Amino acid sequence: MKKFFFSLLAAFLVLSSCTTPKAQFPVYAWQGVNEKTDLDKLQKDFQFWKSQGVVGVCIENSNPELVAKVSALAHAEGLEYHAWIPCMLRGDKPHDWYAVNRLGQPADEFPAYVPYYKAMDPRNPNVHKLLVDQMTEIARIPDVDYVQLDYIRYPDVILSRGLWDKYGLVMDQEYAPADYCYCDDCVAAFKELTGVDIKAVEDPSKVAEWAQFRCDQVTDLVNEICAAVHAVGKKVSADVFPGPASHAEWMVRQQWNKWDVDMLFPMNYNDFYLQPAEWVKEITAEEVQSAPEKPVISGLFICREWKRKVELEDPEESGLIPAEMATAVQGAREAGAAGICLFTPGSMTPEHWSALAEALK
C-alpha cells in the first residue's frame, strides 16, 4: 500500500510540473510624474499596466512628498517601486561643482549639445555629499524599494550614431567641447596618480589611463551611493548605456559591471544606434555576460507614432513598432535578461500591448 502511495505521489508531482505554467517574463515601465499629475488616473494606469504583465514601475521625480504618495499607490497595486532620479545634470548648483571640458569651459555655462546638459563633476566631494544625502532620503521612504540612478555618468563624449544628424555632427573622434572633466582638481589628481599632465598631451583620447581614471570616478561615486542606500535597508538600480565595453565605457565613462548596484537597466534603444530589433538580443547577451551576478533588465524604446515611423527622422521620436515587439522581447529573454523595461508605457498603443502579450506567451 505504501509503495502504491509513493508511486501515485511521484506521478502527481510529474504531472504538476508539466501543467504548471512558466513564470511570466517580468516587465517594468519608466514613467515621469510631477505635481500636476492626476494621481487617480495614475493609479488606474498602474492597474492596467499590472494587468499587462508589468511587475515594477520606475517613476521619475525627486520630490520626497510626491515620491511617498506615488510609491504608496504602486505598492497598493502590488508593483515594485524604483524611485528614478536623474543624478549629474543639475542647473542650480555652485559654479565650482560643474565638470569642465577640454577647452576649459564649465558645463553650467557651456553645456554640450543641449541647454540641460549642465553636468556636475563626479569627483567633486560636494557632489558626492549631495547625491548620497538625496538618495538616502529617498531610500528611507517606506514604499520605495529601489533608488534608481539615471544620468550617473559624464556627458556623451560620443553620441549614439542615430543622433549625429540631429545635432549636425560627425563624431569620428572625441572632440574637446564634450570631453570632460579637465578641472584643476581632476587634472592634478591624475598627474599625482600617473605622472602625466593630461593638459600637455596633444590627444588625450589616446591615453587609456585617462579614460580609466574617469570611469573610476563614476564607479567610486556609484558605489558610495550604494553603500549608503544599502545601509538603510534598500536597494539600488541604475539606468545605463549598453555594453558596457561596446558602448558605455567609451561613450559616457560607465564601467557599470564594477558597480555595487542590485539591478541594471541598460537602455538598449536600437534605433538610436541605427540597428534593427534583432540587435536587442545581441547587446543583451553582452550585458548579461558582463554582469552575470546582476539582474539585467533590457530597456526598450517604444514608437508612439509607429504608423508614421518611416517619416520620423529623430530617433528620440522613433522606436519599436508593434511588429518588432516579439523580436525585441524574445531576443532579450533568450539572451538571459531578467526582464524588459518599456520607455514608456505612455507610448504603447493598443497594438503594442497586444504584440507584447503575444511575445510574453
Side-chain angles (χ1 to χ4, degrees), residues 88-89 99-100 113 117 119-124 151-158 178-183 186 210-219 241 248-254 259:
M88 302 308 295
L89 302 187
V100 176
Y113 310 121
Y117 254 48
M120 298 187 297
D121 175 6
R123 192 176 184 278
N124 188 300
Y151 284 103
I152 191 72
R153 57 182 178 83
Y154 287 88
D156 323 43
V157 67
I158 301 288
D179 185 17
Y180 296 88
C181 174
Y182 290 78
C183 73
C186 287
W210 179 229
Q212 186 62 52
F213 176 84
R214 281 154 320 154
C215 286
D216 291 344
Q217 303 317 306
V218 177
T219 296
F241 271 47
E249 286 186 13
W250 55 269
M251 293 175 75
V252 293
R253 321 298 185 189
Q254 285 181 332
W259 295 1

mmCIF file of all heavy atoms in Angstrom, residues 88-89 99-100 113 117 119-124 151-158 178-183 186 210-219 241 248-254 259:
data_model
loop_
_atom_site.group_PDB
_atom_site.id
_atom_site.type_symbol
_atom_site.label_atom_id
_atom_site.label_comp_id
_atom_site.label_asym_id
_atom_site.label_seq_id
_atom_site.Cartn_x
_atom_site.Cartn_y
_atom_site.Cartn_z
ATOM 1 N N MET A 88 23.445 63.567 -12.380
ATOM 2 C CA MET A 88 24.541 64.501 -12.620
ATOM 3 C C MET A 88 24.130 65.791 -13.310
ATOM 4 O O MET A 88 24.894 66.753 -13.318
ATOM 5 C CB MET A 88 25.634 63.822 -13.459
ATOM 6 C CG MET A 88 26.206 62.554 -12.835
ATOM 7 S SD MET A 88 26.772 62.779 -11.133
ATOM 8 C CE MET A 88 28.127 63.914 -11.395
ATOM 9 N N LEU A 89 22.951 65.831 -13.898
ATOM 10 C CA LEU A 89 22.528 67.038 -14.617
ATOM 11 C C LEU A 89 21.687 67.912 -13.696
ATOM 12 O O LEU A 89 20.524 67.616 -13.429
ATOM 13 C CB LEU A 89 21.734 66.675 -15.874
ATOM 14 C CG LEU A 89 22.456 65.794 -16.898
ATOM 15 C CD1 LEU A 89 21.615 65.650 -18.157
ATOM 16 C CD2 LEU A 89 23.833 66.342 -17.240
ATOM 17 N N ALA A 99 31.488 70.014 -14.107
ATOM 18 C CA ALA A 99 32.594 69.478 -14.887
ATOM 19 C C ALA A 99 33.073 70.513 -15.902
ATOM 20 O O ALA A 99 32.326 71.391 -16.326
ATOM 21 C CB ALA A 99 32.155 68.202 -15.604
ATOM 22 N N VAL A 100 34.336 70.400 -16.285
ATOM 23 C CA VAL A 100 34.980 71.337 -17.213
ATOM 24 C C VAL A 100 35.457 70.548 -18.431
ATOM 25 O O VAL A 100 36.068 69.483 -18.297
ATOM 26 C CB VAL A 100 36.175 72.040 -16.534
ATOM 27 C CG1 VAL A 100 36.911 72.931 -17.524
ATOM 28 C CG2 VAL A 100 35.704 72.843 -15.324
ATOM 29 N N TYR A 113 25.737 70.035 -26.440
ATOM 30 C CA TYR A 113 24.569 69.552 -27.187
ATOM 31 C C TYR A 113 23.279 70.323 -26.911
ATOM 32 O O TYR A 113 22.689 70.905 -27.815
ATOM 33 C CB TYR A 113 24.325 68.052 -26.944
ATOM 34 C CG TYR A 113 25.542 67.191 -27.117
ATOM 35 C CD1 TYR A 113 26.027 66.405 -26.081
ATOM 36 C CD2 TYR A 113 26.255 67.177 -28.325
ATOM 37 C CE1 TYR A 113 27.159 65.609 -26.229
ATOM 38 C CE2 TYR A 113 27.386 66.389 -28.493
ATOM 39 C CZ TYR A 113 27.835 65.613 -27.437
ATOM 40 O OH TYR A 113 28.954 64.847 -27.587
ATOM 41 N N TYR A 117 22.264 70.003 -20.432
ATOM 42 C CA TYR A 117 23.433 69.176 -20.168
ATOM 43 C C TYR A 117 24.440 69.896 -19.254
ATOM 44 O O TYR A 117 25.621 70.000 -19.565
ATOM 45 C CB TYR A 117 24.093 68.763 -21.479
ATOM 46 C CG TYR A 117 23.864 67.309 -21.846
ATOM 47 C CD1 TYR A 117 22.591 66.759 -21.786
ATOM 48 C CD2 TYR A 117 24.909 66.491 -22.248
ATOM 49 C CE1 TYR A 117 22.373 65.433 -22.124
ATOM 50 C CE2 TYR A 117 24.706 65.163 -22.593
ATOM 51 C CZ TYR A 117 23.424 64.630 -22.529
ATOM 52 O OH TYR A 117 23.219 63.318 -22.853
ATOM 53 N N ALA A 119 26.356 69.354 -16.510
ATOM 54 C CA ALA A 119 26.810 68.165 -15.799
ATOM 55 C C ALA A 119 27.779 68.498 -14.675
ATOM 56 O O ALA A 119 28.748 69.231 -14.867
ATOM 57 C CB ALA A 119 27.482 67.208 -16.786
ATOM 58 N N MET A 120 27.520 67.922 -13.520
ATOM 59 C CA MET A 120 28.418 68.097 -12.380
ATOM 60 C C MET A 120 29.613 67.151 -12.516
ATOM 61 O O MET A 120 29.587 66.192 -13.275
ATOM 62 C CB MET A 120 27.670 67.837 -11.076
ATOM 63 C CG MET A 120 26.523 68.790 -10.822
ATOM 64 S SD MET A 120 25.755 68.598 -9.183
ATOM 65 C CE MET A 120 25.114 66.929 -9.292
ATOM 66 N N ASP A 121 30.654 67.460 -11.751
ATOM 67 C CA ASP A 121 31.890 66.677 -11.745
ATOM 68 C C ASP A 121 31.724 65.500 -10.784
ATOM 69 O O ASP A 121 31.551 65.708 -9.582
ATOM 70 C CB ASP A 121 33.047 67.575 -11.304
ATOM 71 C CG ASP A 121 34.361 66.830 -11.148
ATOM 72 O OD1 ASP A 121 34.434 65.630 -11.486
ATOM 73 O OD2 ASP A 121 35.330 67.462 -10.667
ATOM 74 N N PRO A 122 31.773 64.256 -11.254
ATOM 75 C CA PRO A 122 31.575 63.110 -10.365
ATOM 76 C C PRO A 122 32.677 62.906 -9.333
ATOM 77 O O PRO A 122 32.504 62.111 -8.405
ATOM 78 C CB PRO A 122 31.501 61.926 -11.330
ATOM 79 C CG PRO A 122 32.219 62.377 -12.547
ATOM 80 C CD PRO A 122 31.964 63.851 -12.655
ATOM 81 N N ARG A 123 33.786 63.641 -9.468
ATOM 82 C CA ARG A 123 34.846 63.511 -8.474
ATOM 83 C C ARG A 123 34.707 64.539 -7.345
ATOM 84 O O ARG A 123 35.318 64.389 -6.281
ATOM 85 C CB ARG A 123 36.225 63.672 -9.151
ATOM 86 C CG ARG A 123 37.381 63.268 -8.247
ATOM 87 C CD ARG A 123 38.724 63.335 -8.964
ATOM 88 N NE ARG A 123 39.756 62.837 -8.071
ATOM 89 C CZ ARG A 123 40.338 63.565 -7.121
ATOM 90 N NH1 ARG A 123 39.997 64.848 -6.975
ATOM 91 N NH2 ARG A 123 41.254 63.042 -6.328
ATOM 92 N N ASN A 124 33.907 65.563 -7.539
ATOM 93 C CA ASN A 124 33.782 66.649 -6.571
ATOM 94 C C ASN A 124 33.147 66.145 -5.271
ATOM 95 O O ASN A 124 32.062 65.563 -5.294
ATOM 96 C CB ASN A 124 32.923 67.756 -7.185
ATOM 97 C CG ASN A 124 32.890 69.001 -6.334
ATOM 98 O OD1 ASN A 124 32.463 68.977 -5.194
ATOM 99 N ND2 ASN A 124 33.320 70.119 -6.916
ATOM 100 N N TYR A 151 21.412 59.219 -15.481
ATOM 101 C CA TYR A 151 22.437 60.228 -15.781
ATOM 102 C C TYR A 151 23.579 60.157 -14.776
ATOM 103 O O TYR A 151 24.108 61.170 -14.345
ATOM 104 C CB TYR A 151 21.833 61.634 -15.811
ATOM 105 C CG TYR A 151 21.043 61.941 -17.058
ATOM 106 C CD1 TYR A 151 19.659 61.931 -17.045
ATOM 107 C CD2 TYR A 151 21.689 62.230 -18.264
ATOM 108 C CE1 TYR A 151 18.920 62.199 -18.195
ATOM 109 C CE2 TYR A 151 20.964 62.507 -19.411
ATOM 110 C CZ TYR A 151 19.581 62.491 -19.371
ATOM 111 O OH TYR A 151 18.867 62.755 -20.504
ATOM 112 N N ILE A 152 23.952 58.945 -14.415
ATOM 113 C CA ILE A 152 25.068 58.759 -13.487
ATOM 114 C C ILE A 152 26.304 58.478 -14.340
ATOM 115 O O ILE A 152 26.753 57.353 -14.513
ATOM 116 C CB ILE A 152 24.756 57.646 -12.452
ATOM 117 C CG1 ILE A 152 25.788 57.612 -11.324
ATOM 118 C CG2 ILE A 152 24.520 56.295 -13.115
ATOM 119 C CD1 ILE A 152 25.686 58.760 -10.356
ATOM 120 N N ARG A 153 26.842 59.577 -14.918
ATOM 121 C CA ARG A 153 27.866 59.455 -15.956
ATOM 122 C C ARG A 153 28.396 60.834 -16.324
ATOM 123 O O ARG A 153 27.930 61.839 -15.805
ATOM 124 C CB ARG A 153 27.246 58.818 -17.193
ATOM 125 C CG ARG A 153 26.022 59.595 -17.741
ATOM 126 C CD ARG A 153 25.428 58.884 -18.928
ATOM 127 N NE ARG A 153 24.251 59.488 -19.501
ATOM 128 C CZ ARG A 153 24.222 60.485 -20.367
ATOM 129 N NH1 ARG A 153 25.353 61.073 -20.748
ATOM 130 N NH2 ARG A 153 23.088 60.936 -20.868
ATOM 131 N N TYR A 154 29.347 60.849 -17.237
ATOM 132 C CA TYR A 154 29.777 62.089 -17.885
ATOM 133 C C TYR A 154 28.860 62.342 -19.091
ATOM 134 O O TYR A 154 28.189 61.420 -19.581
ATOM 135 C CB TYR A 154 31.217 61.960 -18.378
ATOM 136 C CG TYR A 154 32.269 61.981 -17.290
ATOM 137 C CD1 TYR A 154 32.652 60.809 -16.650
ATOM 138 C CD2 TYR A 154 32.890 63.169 -16.914
ATOM 139 C CE1 TYR A 154 33.627 60.816 -15.650
ATOM 140 C CE2 TYR A 154 33.865 63.193 -15.922
ATOM 141 C CZ TYR A 154 34.227 62.011 -15.290
ATOM 142 O OH TYR A 154 35.177 62.026 -14.309
ATOM 143 N N PRO A 155 28.832 63.565 -19.608
ATOM 144 C CA PRO A 155 28.126 63.788 -20.879
ATOM 145 C C PRO A 155 28.723 62.912 -21.981
ATOM 146 O O PRO A 155 29.888 62.530 -21.924
ATOM 147 C CB PRO A 155 28.381 65.280 -21.156
ATOM 148 C CG PRO A 155 28.620 65.881 -19.816
ATOM 149 C CD PRO A 155 29.351 64.825 -19.034
ATOM 150 N N ASP A 156 27.914 62.616 -22.980
ATOM 151 C CA ASP A 156 28.350 61.739 -24.069
ATOM 152 C C ASP A 156 29.509 62.377 -24.827
ATOM 153 O O ASP A 156 29.314 63.355 -25.550
ATOM 154 C CB ASP A 156 27.219 61.498 -25.067
ATOM 155 C CG ASP A 156 25.848 61.386 -24.419
ATOM 156 O OD1 ASP A 156 25.544 62.193 -23.520
ATOM 157 O OD2 ASP A 156 25.081 60.519 -24.828
ATOM 158 N N VAL A 157 30.704 61.813 -24.680
ATOM 159 C CA VAL A 157 31.821 62.312 -25.469
ATOM 160 C C VAL A 157 31.636 61.897 -26.929
ATOM 161 O O VAL A 157 32.109 62.566 -27.855
ATOM 162 C CB VAL A 157 33.171 61.831 -24.906
ATOM 163 C CG1 VAL A 157 33.349 60.329 -25.038
ATOM 164 C CG2 VAL A 157 34.327 62.571 -25.572
ATOM 165 N N ILE A 158 30.928 60.794 -27.139
ATOM 166 C CA ILE A 158 30.496 60.362 -28.471
ATOM 167 C C ILE A 158 29.005 60.069 -28.389
ATOM 168 O O ILE A 158 28.570 59.252 -27.576
ATOM 169 C CB ILE A 158 31.233 59.092 -28.939
ATOM 170 C CG1 ILE A 158 32.743 59.306 -28.986
ATOM 171 C CG2 ILE A 158 30.696 58.637 -30.297
ATOM 172 C CD1 ILE A 158 33.233 60.182 -30.106
ATOM 173 N N ALA A 178 32.877 68.272 -25.752
ATOM 174 C CA ALA A 178 32.104 67.292 -24.998
ATOM 175 C C ALA A 178 32.991 66.327 -24.209
ATOM 176 O O ALA A 178 32.512 65.315 -23.704
ATOM 177 C CB ALA A 178 31.198 66.496 -25.931
ATOM 178 N N ASP A 179 34.269 66.655 -24.082
ATOM 179 C CA ASP A 179 35.230 65.800 -23.382
ATOM 180 C C ASP A 179 35.483 66.356 -21.983
ATOM 181 O O ASP A 179 36.115 67.396 -21.828
ATOM 182 C CB ASP A 179 36.533 65.733 -24.189
ATOM 183 C CG ASP A 179 37.552 64.773 -23.595
ATOM 184 O OD1 ASP A 179 37.157 63.922 -22.774
ATOM 185 O OD2 ASP A 179 38.741 64.881 -23.953
ATOM 186 N N TYR A 180 34.990 65.659 -20.957
ATOM 187 C CA TYR A 180 35.088 66.105 -19.560
ATOM 188 C C TYR A 180 35.833 65.057 -18.737
ATOM 189 O O TYR A 180 35.871 63.882 -19.110
ATOM 190 C CB TYR A 180 33.676 66.258 -18.977
ATOM 191 C CG TYR A 180 32.824 67.326 -19.623
ATOM 192 C CD1 TYR A 180 32.040 67.043 -20.738
ATOM 193 C CD2 TYR A 180 32.789 68.612 -19.115
ATOM 194 C CE1 TYR A 180 31.252 68.019 -21.325
ATOM 195 C CE2 TYR A 180 31.995 69.600 -19.689
ATOM 196 C CZ TYR A 180 31.233 69.300 -20.795
ATOM 197 O OH TYR A 180 30.447 70.273 -21.378
ATOM 198 N N CYS A 181 36.427 65.382 -17.564
ATOM 199 C CA CYS A 181 36.469 66.640 -16.869
ATOM 200 C C CYS A 181 37.932 67.050 -16.720
ATOM 201 O O CYS A 181 38.775 66.264 -16.284
ATOM 202 C CB CYS A 181 35.824 66.516 -15.500
ATOM 203 S SG CYS A 181 35.963 67.991 -14.448
ATOM 204 N N TYR A 182 38.198 68.309 -17.101
ATOM 205 C CA TYR A 182 39.547 68.865 -17.076
ATOM 206 C C TYR A 182 39.653 69.994 -16.061
ATOM 207 O O TYR A 182 40.424 70.935 -16.243
ATOM 208 C CB TYR A 182 39.929 69.367 -18.468
ATOM 209 C CG TYR A 182 40.143 68.258 -19.477
ATOM 210 C CD1 TYR A 182 39.067 67.617 -20.068
ATOM 211 C CD2 TYR A 182 41.424 67.847 -19.828
ATOM 212 C CE1 TYR A 182 39.247 66.604 -20.993
ATOM 213 C CE2 TYR A 182 41.622 66.835 -20.756
ATOM 214 C CZ TYR A 182 40.536 66.208 -21.336
ATOM 215 O OH TYR A 182 40.732 65.198 -22.251
ATOM 216 N N CYS A 183 38.888 69.883 -14.975
ATOM 217 C CA CYS A 183 39.028 70.885 -13.914
ATOM 218 C C CYS A 183 40.393 70.715 -13.253
ATOM 219 O O CYS A 183 41.045 69.670 -13.386
ATOM 220 C CB CYS A 183 37.900 70.755 -12.886
ATOM 221 S SG CYS A 183 38.032 69.326 -11.800
ATOM 222 N N CYS A 186 40.756 67.487 -11.033
ATOM 223 C CA CYS A 186 40.874 66.208 -11.745
ATOM 224 C C CYS A 186 42.227 66.078 -12.438
ATOM 225 O O CYS A 186 42.851 65.009 -12.410
ATOM 226 C CB CYS A 186 39.750 66.073 -12.762
ATOM 227 S SG CYS A 186 38.122 65.753 -12.025
ATOM 228 N N TRP A 210 43.768 57.721 -18.780
ATOM 229 C CA TRP A 210 42.902 58.884 -18.574
ATOM 230 C C TRP A 210 41.430 58.485 -18.716
ATOM 231 O O TRP A 210 40.573 58.901 -17.932
ATOM 232 C CB TRP A 210 43.274 59.977 -19.552
ATOM 233 C CG TRP A 210 42.482 61.251 -19.526
ATOM 234 C CD1 TRP A 210 41.944 61.875 -20.606
ATOM 235 C CD2 TRP A 210 42.180 62.080 -18.396
ATOM 236 N NE1 TRP A 210 41.299 63.035 -20.221
ATOM 237 C CE2 TRP A 210 41.430 63.181 -18.865
ATOM 238 C CE3 TRP A 210 42.445 61.989 -17.034
ATOM 239 C CZ2 TRP A 210 40.952 64.184 -18.039
ATOM 240 C CZ3 TRP A 210 41.971 62.995 -16.190
ATOM 241 C CH2 TRP A 210 41.238 64.069 -16.690
ATOM 242 N N ALA A 211 41.138 57.643 -19.692
ATOM 243 C CA ALA A 211 39.774 57.124 -19.837
ATOM 244 C C ALA A 211 39.388 56.298 -18.614
ATOM 245 O O ALA A 211 38.288 56.435 -18.073
ATOM 246 C CB ALA A 211 39.662 56.291 -21.109
ATOM 247 N N GLN A 212 40.318 55.459 -18.160
ATOM 248 C CA GLN A 212 40.039 54.618 -16.997
ATOM 249 C C GLN A 212 39.859 55.457 -15.733
ATOM 250 O O GLN A 212 38.998 55.155 -14.897
ATOM 251 C CB GLN A 212 41.168 53.608 -16.783
ATOM 252 C CG GLN A 212 40.890 52.603 -15.667
ATOM 253 C CD GLN A 212 39.679 51.745 -15.954
ATOM 254 O OE1 GLN A 212 39.576 51.136 -17.017
ATOM 255 N NE2 GLN A 212 38.732 51.698 -15.027
ATOM 256 N N PHE A 213 40.643 56.505 -15.596
ATOM 257 C CA PHE A 213 40.531 57.407 -14.446
ATOM 258 C C PHE A 213 39.112 57.940 -14.329
ATOM 259 O O PHE A 213 38.524 57.975 -13.244
ATOM 260 C CB PHE A 213 41.529 58.557 -14.599
ATOM 261 C CG PHE A 213 41.456 59.606 -13.531
ATOM 262 C CD1 PHE A 213 42.107 59.440 -12.323
ATOM 263 C CD2 PHE A 213 40.738 60.777 -13.750
ATOM 264 C CE1 PHE A 213 42.038 60.428 -11.331
ATOM 265 C CE2 PHE A 213 40.675 61.774 -12.777
ATOM 266 C CZ PHE A 213 41.321 61.589 -11.568
ATOM 267 N N ARG A 214 38.538 58.331 -15.451
ATOM 268 C CA ARG A 214 37.196 58.903 -15.411
ATOM 269 C C ARG A 214 36.128 57.836 -15.188
ATOM 270 O O ARG A 214 35.158 58.068 -14.466
ATOM 271 C CB ARG A 214 36.955 59.733 -16.664
ATOM 272 C CG ARG A 214 37.637 61.079 -16.491
ATOM 273 C CD ARG A 214 38.041 61.803 -17.699
ATOM 274 N NE ARG A 214 38.602 61.096 -18.789
ATOM 275 C CZ ARG A 214 38.526 61.540 -20.046
ATOM 276 N NH1 ARG A 214 37.867 62.651 -20.317
ATOM 277 N NH2 ARG A 214 39.106 60.887 -21.027
ATOM 278 N N CYS A 215 36.316 56.671 -15.754
ATOM 279 C CA CYS A 215 35.408 55.565 -15.427
ATOM 280 C C CYS A 215 35.418 55.299 -13.922
ATOM 281 O O CYS A 215 34.365 55.077 -13.304
ATOM 282 C CB CYS A 215 35.822 54.296 -16.168
ATOM 283 S SG CYS A 215 35.443 54.268 -17.932
ATOM 284 N N ASP A 216 36.619 55.344 -13.336
ATOM 285 C CA ASP A 216 36.743 55.076 -11.898
ATOM 286 C C ASP A 216 36.058 56.142 -11.048
ATOM 287 O O ASP A 216 35.537 55.842 -9.965
ATOM 288 C CB ASP A 216 38.222 54.982 -11.512
ATOM 289 C CG ASP A 216 38.910 53.750 -12.079
ATOM 290 O OD1 ASP A 216 38.210 52.814 -12.520
ATOM 291 O OD2 ASP A 216 40.167 53.731 -12.104
ATOM 292 N N GLN A 217 36.044 57.385 -11.517
ATOM 293 C CA GLN A 217 35.371 58.450 -10.753
ATOM 294 C C GLN A 217 33.868 58.181 -10.665
ATOM 295 O O GLN A 217 33.252 58.366 -9.608
ATOM 296 C CB GLN A 217 35.622 59.825 -11.387
ATOM 297 C CG GLN A 217 37.080 60.205 -11.542
ATOM 298 C CD GLN A 217 37.922 59.857 -10.327
ATOM 299 O OE1 GLN A 217 37.615 60.251 -9.191
ATOM 300 N NE2 GLN A 217 38.988 59.104 -10.552
ATOM 301 N N VAL A 218 33.289 57.730 -11.768
ATOM 302 C CA VAL A 218 31.863 57.403 -11.760
ATOM 303 C C VAL A 218 31.613 56.183 -10.884
ATOM 304 O O VAL A 218 30.669 56.160 -10.077
ATOM 305 C CB VAL A 218 31.346 57.170 -13.193
ATOM 306 C CG1 VAL A 218 29.883 56.764 -13.180
ATOM 307 C CG2 VAL A 218 31.538 58.421 -14.044
ATOM 308 N N THR A 219 32.449 55.167 -11.021
ATOM 309 C CA THR A 219 32.287 53.951 -10.220
ATOM 310 C C THR A 219 32.377 54.258 -8.736
ATOM 311 O O THR A 219 31.572 53.761 -7.931
ATOM 312 C CB THR A 219 33.352 52.911 -10.615
ATOM 313 O OG1 THR A 219 33.133 52.520 -11.979
ATOM 314 C CG2 THR A 219 33.281 51.685 -9.723
ATOM 315 N N PHE A 241 24.071 52.974 -20.195
ATOM 316 C CA PHE A 241 24.234 52.810 -21.634
ATOM 317 C C PHE A 241 24.532 51.333 -21.939
ATOM 318 O O PHE A 241 24.995 50.589 -21.074
ATOM 319 C CB PHE A 241 25.369 53.694 -22.135
ATOM 320 C CG PHE A 241 24.939 55.079 -22.539
ATOM 321 C CD1 PHE A 241 24.116 55.842 -21.726
ATOM 322 C CD2 PHE A 241 25.359 55.637 -23.742
ATOM 323 C CE1 PHE A 241 23.706 57.114 -22.099
ATOM 324 C CE2 PHE A 241 24.956 56.909 -24.128
ATOM 325 C CZ PHE A 241 24.125 57.652 -23.302
ATOM 326 N N ALA A 248 29.077 51.852 -23.457
ATOM 327 C CA ALA A 248 29.026 52.715 -22.268
ATOM 328 C C ALA A 248 30.393 53.230 -21.835
ATOM 329 O O ALA A 248 30.530 54.390 -21.444
ATOM 330 C CB ALA A 248 28.355 51.974 -21.112
ATOM 331 N N GLU A 249 31.413 52.375 -21.892
ATOM 332 C CA GLU A 249 32.731 52.766 -21.393
ATOM 333 C C GLU A 249 33.294 53.958 -22.149
ATOM 334 O O GLU A 249 33.806 54.905 -21.555
ATOM 335 C CB GLU A 249 33.714 51.586 -21.483
ATOM 336 C CG GLU A 249 33.491 50.518 -20.450
ATOM 337 C CD GLU A 249 34.581 49.453 -20.482
ATOM 338 O OE1 GLU A 249 35.626 49.685 -21.150
ATOM 339 O OE2 GLU A 249 34.395 48.395 -19.863
ATOM 340 N N TRP A 250 33.219 53.921 -23.476
ATOM 341 C CA TRP A 250 33.864 54.980 -24.259
ATOM 342 C C TRP A 250 32.929 56.112 -24.631
ATOM 343 O O TRP A 250 33.384 57.186 -25.036
ATOM 344 C CB TRP A 250 34.535 54.404 -25.501
ATOM 345 C CG TRP A 250 33.655 53.594 -26.394
ATOM 346 C CD1 TRP A 250 33.444 52.250 -26.339
ATOM 347 C CD2 TRP A 250 32.867 54.063 -27.494
ATOM 348 N NE1 TRP A 250 32.564 51.846 -27.329
ATOM 349 C CE2 TRP A 250 32.201 52.946 -28.059
ATOM 350 C CE3 TRP A 250 32.663 55.314 -28.068
ATOM 351 C CZ2 TRP A 250 31.339 53.040 -29.147
ATOM 352 C CZ3 TRP A 250 31.814 55.422 -29.168
ATOM 353 C CH2 TRP A 250 31.156 54.291 -29.690
ATOM 354 N N MET A 251 31.631 55.909 -24.467
ATOM 355 C CA MET A 251 30.693 56.981 -24.771
ATOM 356 C C MET A 251 30.446 57.901 -23.579
ATOM 357 O O MET A 251 30.375 59.125 -23.728
ATOM 358 C CB MET A 251 29.358 56.401 -25.259
ATOM 359 C CG MET A 251 29.452 55.691 -26.598
ATOM 360 S SD MET A 251 27.905 54.885 -27.089
ATOM 361 C CE MET A 251 26.942 56.326 -27.578
ATOM 362 N N VAL A 252 30.277 57.306 -22.380
ATOM 363 C CA VAL A 252 29.922 58.109 -21.203
ATOM 364 C C VAL A 252 30.709 57.731 -19.950
ATOM 365 O O VAL A 252 30.372 58.162 -18.853
ATOM 366 C CB VAL A 252 28.402 58.017 -20.918
ATOM 367 C CG1 VAL A 252 27.601 58.686 -22.013
ATOM 368 C CG2 VAL A 252 27.955 56.568 -20.732
ATOM 369 N N ARG A 253 31.753 56.918 -20.089
ATOM 370 C CA ARG A 253 32.641 56.517 -18.979
ATOM 371 C C ARG A 253 31.912 55.694 -17.923
ATOM 372 O O ARG A 253 32.195 55.801 -16.737
ATOM 373 C CB ARG A 253 33.301 57.732 -18.310
ATOM 374 C CG ARG A 253 33.741 58.858 -19.233
ATOM 375 C CD ARG A 253 34.798 58.456 -20.226
ATOM 376 N NE ARG A 253 35.248 59.632 -20.990
ATOM 377 C CZ ARG A 253 36.046 59.567 -22.053
ATOM 378 N NH1 ARG A 253 36.481 58.405 -22.488
ATOM 379 N NH2 ARG A 253 36.406 60.671 -22.687
ATOM 380 N N GLN A 254 30.997 54.853 -18.358
ATOM 381 C CA GLN A 254 30.307 53.947 -17.424
ATOM 382 C C GLN A 254 30.900 52.544 -17.534
ATOM 383 O O GLN A 254 30.726 51.880 -18.552
ATOM 384 C CB GLN A 254 28.815 53.871 -17.742
ATOM 385 C CG GLN A 254 28.001 55.061 -17.329
ATOM 386 C CD GLN A 254 26.529 54.866 -17.681
ATOM 387 O OE1 GLN A 254 26.180 54.148 -18.626
ATOM 388 N NE2 GLN A 254 25.654 55.522 -16.942
ATOM 389 N N TRP A 259 29.953 48.135 -10.671
ATOM 390 C CA TRP A 259 29.129 48.863 -9.715
ATOM 391 C C TRP A 259 28.457 47.916 -8.721
ATOM 392 O O TRP A 259 28.103 46.790 -9.067
ATOM 393 C CB TRP A 259 28.050 49.656 -10.452
ATOM 394 C CG TRP A 259 28.565 50.759 -11.331
ATOM 395 C CD1 TRP A 259 29.875 51.112 -11.548
ATOM 396 C CD2 TRP A 259 27.777 51.646 -12.135
ATOM 397 N NE1 TRP A 259 29.948 52.164 -12.413
ATOM 398 C CE2 TRP A 259 28.679 52.521 -12.809
ATOM 399 C CE3 TRP A 259 26.412 51.798 -12.354
ATOM 400 C CZ2 TRP A 259 28.237 53.518 -13.671
ATOM 401 C CZ3 TRP A 259 25.973 52.791 -13.217
ATOM 402 C CH2 TRP A 259 26.872 53.645 -13.851
#
